[in-house]
Amino acid sequence: QVQLVESGGGLVQPGGSLRLSCVVSGTFFRIDGMGWYRQAPGKQRELVAGIALGGSPNYADPAKGRFTISRDNAKSTVYLQMNSLKPEDTAVYYCNAQVWRNLVSLNEYWGQGTQVTVSS
């Protein structure tokens, strides 16, 4: 069974920073794309940033210039460094990963979510 466990959320003042982490555990062959999504109250879940196996990142417009996604393949972990946080960044942040369970089975997995609240 593959599991994604996020950590690092919390309450931060506007302009502050947080670093989210997501560890993929279980039995699998390889992790391809990894990413972070968020869902604010009353809104649909949206992509924040993604990163390919080779390390190429992509960002949604709200994250550009403020957030940095990275991954440590040896630790099966993806990170999201969030700087200059704004109240509109308040949301539940979800980790996502495309995981090859074996050579023929590719599945998408989600973490349970971690709350990020930006408020003074």
Side-chain angles (χ1 to χ4, degrees):
Q1 184 73 4
V2 175
Q3 290 187 320
L4 278 59
V5 179
E6 301 112 331
S7 61
L11 173 64
V12 63
Q13 293 186 342
S17 298
L18 282 175
R19 188 192 195 208
L20 306 183
S21 300
C22 172
V23 180
V24 182
S25 64
T27 302
F28 53 87
F29 174 65
R30 189 182 74 198
I31 304 169
D32 276 1
M34 305 181 82
W36 289 95
Y37 289 72
R38 69 185 183 186
Q39 187 167 19
K43 295 188 177 181
Q44 290 188 333
R45 190 174 297 188
E46 61 179 7
L47 174 70
V48 176
I51 186 165
L53 174 61
S56 299
N58 64 280
Y59 299 95
D61 286 343
K64 289 179 180 177
R66 300 188 299 127
F67 295 1
T68 301
I69 189 170
S70 61
R71 62 189 289 172
D72 184 334
N73 293 327
K75 296 181 178 180
S76 301
T77 301
V78 62
Y79 305 97
L80 185 67
Q81 176 67 44
M82 304 187 292
N83 300 327
S84 303
L85 283 161
K86 306 174 181 180
E88 51 264 43
D89 294 318
T90 295
V92 177
Y93 283 70
Y94 296 91
C95 176
N96 174 276
Q98 312 295 320
V99 181
W100 287 94
R101 293 285 305 278
N102 47 52
L103 290 174
V104 298
S105 178
L106 176 64
N107 298 98
E108 180 178 56
Y109 295 90
W110 293 88
Q112 81 286 353
T114 185
Q115 177 69 47
V116 171
T117 302
V118 184
S119 175
S120 55

